[in-house]
Amino acid sequence: MLRERGQREVFCGLTGIIWLHRKMQDAFFLVVGSRTCAHLLQSAAGVMIFAEPRFATAIMEERDLAGMADAQDELERVVNRLLDRRPDIRTLFLVGSCPSEVIKLDLTKAAQRLGAVHMPRVRILNYSGSGIETTFTQGEDACLAALVPVMPALPAGSPKELLIVGSLPDIVEDQFLRLFAQMGIERVGCLPARNARDLPAVGPDTRYLLAQPFLGATAMALDGRGARRLDALFPFGAEGTASWLSAAATEFGVDTGLFERIIAPGRERARIALSKLRPQLEGKRISFLPDSQLEVPLARFLQDELGMQLVEVGTPYLHRAHLARELERLGPQVRLSEGQHVERQLDRVRADRPDITVCGLGLANPLEAEGFTTKWAIELVFSPIHGFDQAADLAELFARPLRRRDMLEV
Amino acid sequence: MQLAVWTYEGPPHVGAMRVATAMEKLHYVLHAPQGDTYADLLFTMIERRQRRPPVTYTTFEARDLGKDTAQLFQDAAHEAVKRFSPQAIIVGASCTAELIQDDPAGLAEAMGLPVPAIALELPSYQRKENWGAAETFYQIVRTLADTSVVREPREGRKARANILGPTALGFRHRDDLVEIRKILDRLGVEVNLVAPLGATPQDIGRIGAADFNIVLYPEIADEAARWLERHFAQPAVRTVPIGVGATRSFIAEVAELAGADPTPALGDTSSRMPWWSRSVDSTYLTGKRVFIFGDATHAVAAARIAREELGFEVCGLGCYNREFARAVRAEAARCGVEPLITDDHLAVEDAIAAACPELVLGTQMERHIAKRLGLPCAVISAPVHVQDFPARHSPQMGFEGANVIFDTWVHPLVMGLEEHLLTMFREDFEFADEHGPSHLAAHAPRAMARTVTPDAHEPLAPAETAPEAAPAAPETIAAPGAPVWTAEAERELKKIPFFVRGKARRNTEKFAALEGRSAIDLETLYDAKAHYAR
């Protein structure tokens, strides 16, 4: 286990807005930051930025830095203008950035003050997506953690409810909800809900399953409201998905025979589809550079279900409790690294010469130019990859660059 | 605070990165929080560079703030110098580091590095990307130029010029440079130095050896060129050779400074644009209304080409970089339009909708505005997306650049013969409006608009439409007091080919308002047609 400090080639938490705003359709994300923050969002959002996106930046200028009271007034003016323009917004997130954190602009206070004015039409919440506090997917963690306190209370003694935590593409979410319904687990909520004003309830009778490995703060907030986490592998691949579903089935007393019958078709489909990709990936050596915290469960899936050899598995942050079962599966020869010193890590990639390297877009083309095959990591966050029916799509994301490398003759 | 979804320019440190990435053996040590490395992918993805930008970020985090971020900066600088052995480094802060007030300049100086460390003051909360690039290049030149260089007498040697301005992430900078070198070659002018693109810090040392400078992109090189003018008495060519006319003026100016004969360069026969523009198929281009927006340099050049070389009518002209707005104001006066100086894309969108152009020339942003409004569009300026860093040779400057421009701008318009056929056979189902131009089948905007809102027949928002109106259904919104169309007139209007219908509608409504007519019937429609006949 390697722990490193140095230059980190990672996104900040603001990037989470790009997928969160697609998921919560009544929410708007207003970043309070600098021109750099706006530029980052536009670079990360690509063409999405033109389809009346539900996010924007309140760019701080020289005069906002002069005094605190002034900045609060300015923010109020921007929020009022925004809400006038977009009457469809029902939840507004004020998102903190590095500049707003450093000058200690109190967004919590701003959210409370503005929230009091605009309730009940608009609920105003805040969280930080700044680079000094959050890495990439941690932005989603911070956002969901901000939603937990406003979830309705599930009074003690209610029938047990299941909560799926972590934003999933709608198609994947629906697949899981169908499976749980077939098992007879009727009360299932999702965080985030598709409508941010329609949050599921939470209380001591809530049992939750993390669908994503980067939700440390959200889990803590849910625990704080009495909910209990169900321990499982993350739902990647046939095994991960089976383990994840089974954790809920066991907790909710689903008959083992029934459980097996319900998941059998999906698991079988996943196995068949994966068996077609296995020859392309088996024995291939793979290194992960830190990006999203998805690295450990994805490495486990590629190793156990596709026979890949793990060289280095880098993660920006390792939540030991949530990933305990995943880590058990990784062999002792696997080099785990937490944090980053990008130059030294690239030196290791050059020495290891893996068949495929998972990394960000700032590094992918330069590594390709040095003769390495890469898989850009961000796609793993945007594509549907969870569950039985996406298992082969997930494997294909890794197989495609290798196949392409073999196809090209120029 | 300014509410922004889209920004035309990044922060100033991205401008500094563009200069650093363009150069060789220069390294940028940037005091910045974790996350600011996002800017690397502009270079590795949009420009598809094969190397990482030569930038080391300190990537400080919250837990470092209580401690010594200054130490973090010094460690990063030490390590960068050791690992990359640059000839010089530039040091500076991004927007957040500017707030924590470590002083990269002082820190770097105190370190006693073995190479020059050039300090950058880039005020992130006032300035933007282009300014950052210009300031960085100016500081590099000021610090590294060898002031003891004395030019040899001109007798018996070729004239020498510096080409200043091309950077990384510049719109067509790579290919423009090829064209400029070609011209200088014909004029017998030697290139002393190209900078920043491809230059090392050592190369910058001999910048004073040139007889004069060529400022290719004023946004980036003007500041440095003015300093060179003062310290080395190097005059500068400031005509930007985009368009046939501008290229000819450029050749004449360079020839004059070099004491060379311009004839061979002017006689370059690779320029097909003048003939293409004169050929009868181009007659339909006459008076096409074009809206132009971009950086000042490209916008002004485009306006001149539109007016003098293609026979368009410029119906709107603007730029997003206030620093160079003066040239845009002057050109707008020549075009007889109000200049639009703004970095707010919503203002640009409103202006385009109000002007009802038949062609939009702009940036990536205007491409999307035009798509939304169902207008043809071509890209003439940064910011641009990956497709505008093409693999093929695709300059904007020089005679080949003019050829490229002719094709690029005319392509989105319906060609003359096709336009004629569409008009002639407009009742024929095969030529119905929704088929769109044959060469734009993939993104015929009208067909798409139809599937969204079945009754949206009109892609152009009338001038009076409120800006917040949904662009998909502009017809349902009428400004209070606007004249009402009779059903008969509305039907007649639809017989007019779609690519001129917006103009017809606008003119008719303007005419009706002028005449104080409350309803637009057939009579009004044709009265207006007669009124605006040209």
Side-chain angles (χ1 to χ4, degrees):
Chain A
M1 176 76 204
L2 209 55
R3 239 186 237 103
E4 283 191 303
R5 283 277 294 122
Q7 177 179 325
R8 298 172 69 127
E9 188 83 16
V10 287
F11 280 127
C12 65
L14 294 182
T15 329
I17 292 170
I18 309 297
W19 65 88
L20 284 169
H21 88 284
R22 304 305 311 165
K23 188 70 194 175
M24 289 181 259
Q25 304 195 341
D26 60 342
F28 194 99
F29 294 79
L30 180 66
V31 176
V32 183
S34 62
R35 182 167 300 280
T36 311
C37 306
H39 197 234
L40 159 87
L41 281 179
Q42 118 184 8
S43 309
V47 295
M48 221 193 277
I49 202 139
F50 304 102
E52 275 292 347
R54 291 182 305 276
F55 59 85
T57 309
I59 298 182
M60 296 193 292
E61 292 160 326
E62 189 85 292
R63 59 204 179 90
D64 299 310
L65 303 174
M68 293 291 92
D70 189 17
Q72 290 278 358
D73 291 347
E74 278 290 296
L75 184 58
E76 181 171 352
R77 186 181 57 80
V78 168
V79 166
N80 289 341
R81 184 177 161 214
L82 176 68
L83 294 179
D84 281 347
R85 259 183 69 85
R86 300 292 299 270
D88 51 320
I89 301 169
R90 299 192 61 227
T91 299
L92 175 67
F93 288 98
L94 300 179
V95 188
S97 66
C98 301
S100 71
E101 296 290 333
V102 166
I103 66 163
K104 307 238 182 296
L105 178 57
D106 193 343
L107 290 183
T108 311
K109 195 179 105 195
Q112 281 165 359
R113 209 163 50 89
L114 292 167
V117 176
H118 293 282
M119 250 336 224
R121 183 170 80 95
V122 187
R123 171 188 280 161
I124 302 185
L125 299 171
N126 82 290
Y127 72 90
S128 171
S130 74
I132 55 179
E133 290 159 314
T134 58
T135 304
F136 196 29
T137 48
Q138 281 179 312
E140 172 169 337
D141 190 24
C143 174
L144 300 191
L147 283 170
V148 173
V150 295
M151 289 166 79
L154 184 68
S158 309
K160 244 194 275 184
E161 293 196 4
L162 178 64
L163 184 65
I164 301 174
V165 186
S167 74
L168 292 168
D170 289 353
I171 184 167
V172 177
E173 193 175 287
D174 289 341
Q175 288 170 7
F176 286 150
L177 291 174
R178 272 201 303 274
L179 288 171
F180 286 130
Q182 285 166 15
M183 292 176 208
I185 306 176
E186 294 293 348
R187 295 177 219 284
V188 187
C190 295
L191 183 70
R194 290 181 202 188
N195 189 324
R197 288 292 284 277
D198 213 8
L199 292 170
V202 65
D205 300 300
T206 300
R207 302 290 174 269
Y208 67 91
L209 270 174
L210 293 181
Q212 303 281 19
F214 44 74
L215 299 171
T218 309
M220 219 148 74
L222 289 168
D223 292 347
R225 294 197 59 178
R228 253 187 33 223
R229 183 175 71 90
L230 303 179
D231 195 31
L233 290 175
F234 286 92
F236 301 113
E239 287 173 31
T241 307
S243 155
W244 192 78
L245 293 169
S246 141
T250 309
E251 177 70 22
F252 283 76
V254 178
D255 173 73
T256 326
L258 172 70
F259 173 75
E260 282 300 327
R261 269 202 309 286
I262 287 164
I263 70 160
R267 184 159 59 186
E268 195 51 25
R269 282 197 302 273
R271 280 189 185 141
I272 292 169
L274 287 173
S275 69
K276 291 181 189 155
L277 285 153
R278 187 167 177 120
Q280 298 177 44
L281 291 169
E282 193 160 20
K284 294 284 193 304
R285 300 166 67 246
I286 185 166
S287 278
F288 286 85
L289 270 53
D291 192 59
S292 62
Q293 298 184 47
L294 290 168
E295 295 84 2
V296 171
L298 292 181
R300 180 264 305 159
F301 160 69
L302 293 171
Q303 173 192 269
D304 288 359
E305 301 192 33
L306 291 151
M308 290 188 83
Q309 276 185 47
L310 308 178
V311 181
E312 173 165 345
V313 180
T315 179
Y317 179 72
L318 191 65
H319 196 298
R320 278 181 181 63
H322 292 175
L323 288 169
R325 298 186 56 166
E326 301 281 349
L327 290 169
E328 274 169 27
R329 302 285 196 104
L330 304 188
Q333 78 293 347
V334 177
R335 191 195 306 138
L336 262 178
S337 66
E338 184 180 4
Q340 189 174 34
H341 183 296
V342 71
E343 304 294 351
R344 275 186 227 145
Q345 194 163 34
L346 288 173
D347 287 344
R348 291 201 297 276
V349 168
R350 292 183 187 112
D352 294 337
R353 299 212 66 83
D355 292 297
I356 186 163
T357 304
V358 184
C359 62
L361 287 173
L363 299 172
N365 270 336
L367 279 173
E368 292 277 350
E370 287 184 39
F372 292 92
T373 299
T374 61
K375 166 70 219 128
W376 48 283
I378 305 146
E379 196 176 9
L380 299 162
V381 176
F382 286 98
S383 312
I385 57 170
H386 298 69
F388 290 131
D389 289 306
Q390 284 67 238
D393 299 340
L394 176 55
E396 166 66 9
L397 290 178
F398 296 90
R400 193 182 296 138
L402 289 167
R403 207 160 61 232
R404 183 167 185 80
R405 177 193 68 186
D406 295 340
M407 274 165 72
L408 297 184
E409 299 203 354
V410 287
Chain B
M1 281 181 199
Q2 183 203 352
L3 184 61
V5 176
W6 168 272
T7 66
Y8 282 99
E9 291 184 74
H13 74 261
V14 168
M17 283 182 74
R18 289 179 53 192
V19 172
T21 306
M23 289 180 64
E24 305 284 335
K25 298 191 174 147
L26 178 82
H27 203 85
Y28 186 10
V29 181
L30 180 60
H31 205 17
Q34 160 173 282
D36 278 3
T37 52
Y38 82 87
D40 281 1
L41 65 88
L42 303 173
F43 299 91
T44 60
M45 295 306 294
I46 296 181
E47 204 177 4
R48 278 189 249 242
R49 287 196 165 247
Q50 296 190 306
R51 280 184 295 168
R52 290 165 60 209
V55 184
T56 294
Y57 304 80
T58 55
T59 52
F60 55 83
E61 295 171 67
R63 58 181 167 162
D64 302 318
L65 288 179
K67 294 181 278 169
D68 204 356
T69 47
Q71 187 60 44
L72 208 60
F73 175 83
Q74 291 193 323
D75 292 348
H78 262 308
E79 221 174 309
V81 170
K82 197 165 146 229
R83 182 174 277 268
F84 300 102
S85 350
Q87 292 173 0
I89 63 169
I90 53 178
V91 299
S94 81
C95 51
T96 305
E98 195 181 328
L99 297 174
I100 61 175
Q101 298 185 331
D102 290 333
D103 171 24
L107 289 170
E109 200 182 333
M111 289 168 66
L113 291 165
V115 294
I118 302 162
L120 300 176
E121 286 289 339
L122 303 177
S124 313
Y125 298 91
Q126 294 170 341
R127 306 291 191 163
K128 291 179 274 188
E129 178 178 332
N130 276 322
W131 189 90
E135 174 68 11
T136 304
F137 184 47
Y138 162 65
Q139 292 297 348
I140 288 173
V141 168
R142 225 180 77 132
T143 314
L144 298 177
D146 180 354
T147 45
S148 66
V149 167
V150 179
R151 284 192 292 282
E152 317 142 42
R154 278 295 308 278
E155 288 77 37
R157 68 166 174 89
K158 286 183 167 182
R160 280 187 208 121
N162 295 317
I163 302 177
L164 305 182
T167 59
L169 219 64
F171 177 64
R172 309 297 167 88
H173 287 195
R174 176 197 70 193
D175 300 341
D176 284 348
L177 196 52
V178 174
E179 293 307 308
I180 298 307
R181 281 180 181 280
K182 230 189 298 182
I183 291 174
L184 295 183
D185 203 39
R186 293 223 169 191
L187 291 169
V189 175
E190 235 172 49
V191 175
N192 178 60
L193 175 69
V194 177
L197 194 62
T200 64
Q202 272 169 16
D203 294 338
I204 302 283
R206 52 181 179 78
I207 200 166
D211 299 303
F212 60 96
N213 290 312
I214 293 169
V215 180
L216 273 197
Y217 307 100
E219 274 86 351
I220 290 150
D222 199 53
E223 186 75 28
R226 276 190 280 125
W227 185 84
L228 290 166
E229 223 153 15
R230 287 198 300 277
H231 285 81
F232 291 99
Q234 289 169 331
V237 175
R238 286 199 160 75
T239 299
V240 178
I242 301 180
V244 171
T247 299
R248 286 182 185 147
S249 321
F250 173 83
I251 290 171
E253 274 181 59
V254 174
E256 168 137 7
L257 283 178
D261 176 12
T263 325
L266 286 172
D268 185 337
T269 50
S270 64
S271 168
R272 282 176 289 270
M273 197 252 235
W275 165 243
W276 249 242
S277 193
R278 281 193 158 73
S279 94
V280 292
D281 194 54
S282 296
T283 311
Y284 77 103
L285 297 176
T286 316
K288 283 252 187 225
R289 294 165 55 78
V290 54
F291 189 100
I292 301 170
F293 194 84
D295 68 42
T297 299
H298 285 87
V300 168
R304 180 170 171 196
I305 296 170
R307 278 189 303 126
E308 297 178 355
E309 300 176 18
L310 291 170
F312 289 151
E313 179 195 334
V314 176
C315 67
L317 177 64
C319 73
Y320 56 76
N321 51 340
R322 202 166 286 283
E323 295 93 335
F324 286 80
R326 181 181 290 199
V328 172
R329 291 204 181 89
E331 179 63 27
R334 282 191 283 276
C335 299
V337 295
E338 272 298 306
L340 177 68
I341 316 297
T342 181
D343 61 356
D344 177 358
H345 68 278
L346 294 172
V348 179
E349 179 159 352
D350 291 348
I352 293 177
C356 288
E358 292 158 275
L359 175 67
V360 177
L361 301 175
T363 70
Q364 179 73 8
M365 188 58 204
E366 282 67 48
R367 247 182 46 159
H368 287 270
I369 293 172
K371 190 165 154 195
R372 195 179 291 175
L373 297 175
L375 295 170
C377 178
V379 170
I380 59 157
S381 158
V384 294
H385 208 51
V386 60
Q387 67 269 38
D388 276 300
F389 286 92
R392 66 178 185 279
H393 184 58
S394 205
Q396 298 288 291
M397 292 184 174
F399 293 128
E400 183 57 25
N403 294 341
V404 169
I405 286 172
F406 182 90
D407 288 346
T408 311
W409 296 11
V410 169
H411 178 92
L413 298 168
V414 187
M415 296 299 285
L417 184 60
E418 186 169 341
E419 177 165 328
H420 174 70
L421 289 173
L422 277 170
T423 314
M424 229 165 88
F425 299 115
R426 63 183 174 230
E427 302 297 337
D428 189 323
F429 73 94
E430 286 181 317
F431 287 90
D433 291 355
E434 59 268 28
H435 291 212
S438 63
H439 61 293
L440 294 179
H443 38 105
R446 308 206 17 94
M448 276 165 54
R450 254 179 212 202
T451 54
V452 181
T453 42
D455 51 359
H457 294 296
E458 173 55 78
L460 295 177
E464 294 79 8
T465 302
E468 61 272 23
E475 282 187 324
T476 56
I477 296 117
V484 180
W485 289 71
T486 66
E488 197 185 17
E490 191 78 54
R491 270 198 304 280
E492 196 75 358
L493 182 72
K494 291 205 176 114
K495 293 180 192 166
I496 298 171
F498 67 83
F499 33 81
V500 287
R501 198 183 300 149
K503 184 163 64 172
R505 173 185 287 278
R506 196 180 65 104
N507 283 349
T508 309
E509 288 176 356
K510 202 152 89 179
F511 175 77
L514 205 70
E515 295 271 294
R517 301 190 197 183
S518 58
I520 296 174
D521 51 11
L522 269 185
E523 206 66 12
T524 315
L525 183 65
Y526 284 108
D527 286 348
K529 188 170 188 287
H531 181 79
Y532 289 104
R534 54 182 177 205

